[in-house]
Amino acid sequence: MKLVLLVFRVLCLASMWPVTLLDNRYLDRKKNKDVYLGEHAKHKFRGRIDHKLKRKDSTKSLLIKTEQLLRIEDHDFAMRPGFGGSAIPVGIDVQVESIDSISEVNMDFTMTLYLRHYWKDERLAFPSTNNLSRTFDGRLVKKIWKPDVFFVHSKRSFIHDTTMENIMLRVYPDGNILYSVRITVTSLCSMDFSRFPLDTQNCSLELESYAYNENDLMLYWKNGTDSLRTDEIALSQFFIEEFHPSHGLALYSSTGWYNRLYINFILRRHIFFFMLQTYFPTMLMVVLSWVSFWIDRRAVPARVSLGITTVLTMSTIITGVSASMPQVSYVKAVDIYLWTSFLFVFLSVIEYAAVNYFTTKEEMKKLKQLKLSEFDASQAMAFDGCFHDTDIELSTFPPMSDLNSDPCMTSLNSSAPELPRIMGTRLRRRRSIRQSVNHIMSNSYKIDSYSRIIFPLAYIFFNFIYWSIYS
């Protein structure tokens, strides 16, 4: 019996020996791996090993949860801090990341910014030995009170949520809170296009509390004028001349006065784009219309086609500019330039119409005179009622030299006293306006000659006045 028990024990020990061997090998391998990792980290960081990594995870060592630490369940965070007392001050700090777009048609702009709120809520104060703050994401924000700041005159706005909601909440042991959010907002900007495209626009983004008036919440810029900071912003059509904050009050008849903060910025438009797209093509079309003044007045197809082409091109330019602008009820600076240039092109077409009309009338008059000179005497009598006999020989008057040689005339001249010669200028009657017009009508080629000088001088004078006023 003893022999059987001994054999059984030996078999049990023999069956447990491989398991013990594997455990010893696993422990040796893990130990070697830890040594290798330690040596690798020491070599990588040149012997400086962060001993904090050896500590246990702080989230596991905390026996109190965040809600318990901040005593969220003990207070009603639907009410503002200090309810029933004075207004709670809420500081605002803004950093403008970019101005994404500015639309003249919709009269709005799109801006991306970091909006930071500062206030104190003693209900969230917690004990701390090192006076360090605690930072949370958007999950805790929904459980506490926060200012209900909104953007006045905004059309669209959203909080960025890639990869998570861009919201940060930082709570200090004394109850001071920093709440930061990254927002893109599209807001209204009332623009004045009376000087477009040589204009300067003043836009503003307005912040205000939605529910709390000045008796409950006081909005203010956290650091005065330094509360508004901007990154380096470059726009395609505008220069940003100035960014500055301001504040004021807004009155609502049913709810009272509210604090309002303004983010003001001044935009000055780039003119070079419109010089290339609008002004230079318009100038070229006006100059091209003057080419017809040097084309022969009898070349009707050439001058008509040139005039019609310039008129249609100007119409296309005006239509294109109007399509990219809002339908305003006043005249813009670009409208004055385009329509005046269109008037010059149109007058060049009218000028050729006048030249062609007077030329045709002049040729008809000459043709009529030519036909009258070919009529015989009987035909001429039918026109003027006088008889013209070609058989009667009419002698001409003797010349003045023959009269002087006549002795009778000589004696008559000698008996008459000789009058002294009076030196003076010959008076010439000025032509009336009607006579000048008739003269030009009878010489229609002079219209082109005058137009070659009058049209360029008038257009240069118009450009001088235009750029002096608007630039």
Side-chain angles (χ1 to χ4, degrees):
M1 184 65 182
K2 293 181 179 179
L3 182 62
V4 174
L5 292 175
L6 182 62
V7 173
F8 181 74
R9 289 179 179 178
V10 171
L11 291 177
C12 290
L13 291 174
S15 62
M16 293 177 63
W17 179 77
V19 176
T20 305
L21 183 62
L22 290 176
D23 292 338
N24 292 334
R25 289 181 180 179
Y26 175 77
L27 293 174
D28 293 337
R29 187 180 301 173
K30 184 177 181 181
K31 183 177 180 180
N32 294 334
K33 184 177 181 180
D34 293 338
V35 172
Y36 171 76
L37 291 175
E39 292 295 327
H40 180 69
K42 184 177 180 180
H43 175 72
K44 182 177 181 180
F45 296 100
R46 299 180 181 180
R48 295 175 295 175
I49 301 176
D50 192 359
H51 296 283
K52 295 181 180 180
L53 297 176
K54 296 182 179 180
R55 297 180 182 178
K56 296 181 180 180
D57 191 355
S58 60
T59 59
K60 295 181 180 179
S61 63
L62 290 177
L63 300 178
I64 303 176
K65 294 183 179 181
T66 300
E67 290 82 354
Q68 297 174 353
L69 177 67
L70 300 179
R71 303 189 306 277
I72 293 179
E73 300 296 335
D74 297 340
H75 302 282
D76 183 10
F77 285 97
M79 309 299 292
R80 69 173 180 87
F83 177 76
S86 60
I88 175 175
V90 176
I92 298 294
D93 183 2
V94 173
Q95 180 174 350
V96 179
E97 180 181 357
S98 64
I99 298 178
D100 303 322
S101 64
I102 298 174
S103 174
E104 291 87 359
V105 177
N106 299 322
M107 285 194 181
D108 58 24
F109 64 91
T110 302
M111 178 185 293
T112 300
L113 51 90
Y114 297 93
L115 179 62
R116 303 184 181 98
H117 310 71
Y118 301 86
W119 75 94
K120 186 175 183 179
D121 192 347
E122 295 180 353
R123 297 173 295 184
L124 296 177
F126 60 91
S128 176
T129 58
N130 51 14
N131 199 28
L132 294 178
S133 62
R134 293 177 179 265
T135 303
F136 308 97
D137 56 16
R139 288 172 289 185
L140 186 64
V141 172
K142 300 176 182 180
K143 300 180 180 180
I144 66 172
W145 181 90
K146 57 184 180 295
D148 57 342
V149 176
F150 79 104
F151 297 99
V152 185
H153 307 308
S154 65
K155 297 180 179 180
R156 295 174 300 276
S157 62
F158 63 91
I159 299 175
H160 290 259
D161 55 359
T162 306
T163 56
M164 289 186 64
E165 283 188 322
N166 297 169
I167 296 175
M168 183 199 70
L169 180 68
R170 183 171 294 170
V171 182
Y172 292 87
D174 58 354
N176 284 312
I177 298 174
L178 166 61
Y179 170 55
S180 178
V181 60
R182 182 168 176 253
I183 301 176
T184 294
V185 55
T186 300
S187 182
L188 176 67
C189 179
S190 298
M191 301 182 183
D192 181 16
F193 297 106
S194 58
R195 299 178 65 89
F196 177 87
L198 304 167
D199 57 334
T200 300
Q201 302 296 340
N202 296 321
C203 297
S204 63
L205 184 63
E206 304 173 8
L207 295 84
E208 183 181 307
S209 173
Y210 189 81
Y212 300 99
N213 57 24
E214 64 173 353
N215 297 323
D216 293 323
L217 189 145
M218 182 183 68
L219 280 179
Y220 69 97
W221 289 111
K222 175 68 174 176
N223 301 313
T225 56
D226 295 332
S227 300
L228 179 60
R229 294 184 294 272
T230 61
D231 296 337
E232 186 176 354
I233 301 175
L235 301 177
S236 59
Q237 292 191 22
F238 292 92
F239 290 110
I240 301 178
E241 291 190 343
E242 185 180 359
F243 256 111
H244 67 276
S246 62
H247 61 88
L249 290 174
L251 174 62
Y252 296 90
S253 59
S254 58
T255 55
W257 293 89
Y258 290 78
N259 295 111
R260 182 175 293 184
L261 303 181
Y262 300 87
I263 302 173
N264 305 300
F265 54 98
I266 301 176
L267 303 172
R268 181 166 57 87
R269 196 180 304 272
H270 290 283
I271 186 59
F272 188 70
F273 171 79
F274 294 94
M275 292 296 293
L276 292 178
Q277 297 293 324
T278 303
Y279 286 98
F280 284 159
T282 301
M283 293 178 185
L284 291 178
M285 287 299 104
V286 175
V287 174
L288 183 61
S289 67
W290 300 340
V291 175
S292 63
F293 301 152
W294 278 267
I295 299 177
D296 188 79
R297 54 181 175 168
R298 298 177 184 84
V300 177
R303 296 189 66 163
V304 170
S305 60
L306 180 61
I308 296 300
T309 301
T310 52
V311 168
L312 293 178
T313 305
M314 283 299 304
S315 301
T316 303
I317 294 175
I318 293 174
T319 304
V321 172
S322 301
S324 61
M325 295 297 299
Q327 305 300 320
V328 295
S329 58
Y330 50 85
V331 179
K332 303 181 289 293
V334 68
D335 294 335
I336 296 175
Y337 194 89
L338 290 176
W339 282 104
T340 304
S341 301
F342 181 83
L343 180 62
F344 273 90
V345 173
F346 182 75
L347 288 178
S348 66
V349 178
I350 298 300
E351 184 269 348
Y352 177 64
V355 169
N356 187 57
Y357 173 75
F358 293 143
T359 301
T360 304
K361 192 172 182 180
E362 182 182 355
E363 290 179 353
M364 292 295 295
K365 186 176 179 180
K366 290 181 179 179
L367 182 60
K368 186 176 180 180
Q369 291 177 354
L370 181 61
K371 289 182 178 180
L372 287 175
S373 63
E374 294 178 354
F375 287 164
D376 53 9
S378 59
Q379 292 173 334
M381 182 179 177
F383 283 95
D384 55 8
C386 299
F387 178 76
H388 300 275
D389 192 355
T390 56
D391 297 335
I392 300 175
E393 183 179 356
L394 299 175
S395 60
T396 58
F397 290 100
M400 295 298 296
S401 60
D402 296 339
L403 293 175
N404 292 331
S405 61
D406 190 358
C408 296
M409 295 299 297
T410 303
S411 60
L412 182 61
N413 291 333
S414 60
S415 61
E418 184 176 359
L419 297 175
R421 294 184 178 181
I422 300 175
M423 302 298 293
T425 58
R426 179 179 295 178
L427 296 178
R428 182 175 297 175
R429 181 180 296 176
R430 291 185 178 180
R431 292 180 179 176
S432 63
I433 298 177
R434 184 175 182 180
Q435 290 176 342
S436 300
V437 173
N438 292 331
H439 177 71
I440 295 175
M441 290 175 60
S442 59
N443 299 277
S444 57
Y445 64 92
K446 291 186 178 180
I447 299 178
D448 282 340
S449 301
Y450 293 150
S451 299
R452 296 169 190 173
I453 301 174
I454 295 175
F455 273 75
L457 290 179
Y459 195 66
I460 291 173
F461 179 74
F462 162 72
N463 277 272
F464 175 78
I465 298 298
Y466 179 86
W467 295 108
S468 299
I469 294 175
Y470 289 104
S471 62

